[in-house]
Amino acid sequence: MTDVETKRGRVRRLLIDPLASGYGGMGFRFPKGTDEKKQRSYLDWMADWLGYLGDEELKRLRACLSAHGDGAKRCFWPPRATVVFFAQAARPRPIETWPECASWFASIEGPKAREEGTLVATMRFIERNIRPPYTPKDRRDVAQEAANLARRDVEARERVARGRAYPDDAQFVAWYQQLTERAEALIGDGRQAGAA
């Protein structure tokens, strides 16, 4: 029987352990006097929170964090905000794992975005920015991306149907369909919220 590595174990192996053992000469540690429970809690949070990243993304994150330690000697574990910032740069966290952001779709806003044709673009905006599109500029950007995605989807589907597809057309159509299904699943009871 083979051992199966957990997401938490993979994050520890590729990110936490190398940073703690001196990757890049850092040897991250906690400030003297930090409660062991707080230390364990921070590292557990990191292992759980970063589990969505792939191996190569974790290695890139390790390189970024190694240069952003906290304290005068930059040898302490960085604040959570720093970890989140660089993790988002490596790959935005899927919205399904952010209940605070995903709940926006279950409100009246989800069905509204579907009706406006901006559902996928809105989901992508929230994943990238960790907030809904509140400002007029945000909404313009979302509308523009939605129009571009919809146009490309229609064009790619037409080329595939005619047998004249570009090499990435089928891949784009599948990717866009998957995003659409993810966004629709987030709406959940939003239809009821909109009716209330």
Side-chain angles (χ1 to χ4, degrees), residues 16 28-29 48 55 69 92 100 122 143 149 152 183 185 191 196:
I16 295 172
F28 277 178
R29 58 189 172 84
D48 290 337
D55 290 2
E100 302 84 2
T122 299
L149 289 171
R152 182 162 179 209
R191 287 166 276 226

Side-chain angles (χ1 to χ4, degrees), residues 10-11 13-16 18-19 23-24 26 28 46 50 52-68 78 82-93:
R10 189 173 52 81
V11 172
R13 177 175 56 85
L14 293 171
L15 180 76
I16 295 172
L19 286 173
Y23 176 84
M26 295 310 296
F28 277 178
M46 187 182 279
L50 299 171
Y52 76 97
L53 293 173
D55 290 2
E56 291 306 312
E57 294 160 337
L58 285 169
K59 289 175 186 176
R60 282 196 302 274
L61 179 59
R62 181 176 70 202
C64 290
L65 292 179
S66 70
H68 289 86
T82 301
V83 174
V84 169
F85 174 80
F86 284 112
Q88 282 292 105
R91 179 164 51 108
R93 186 178 176 89

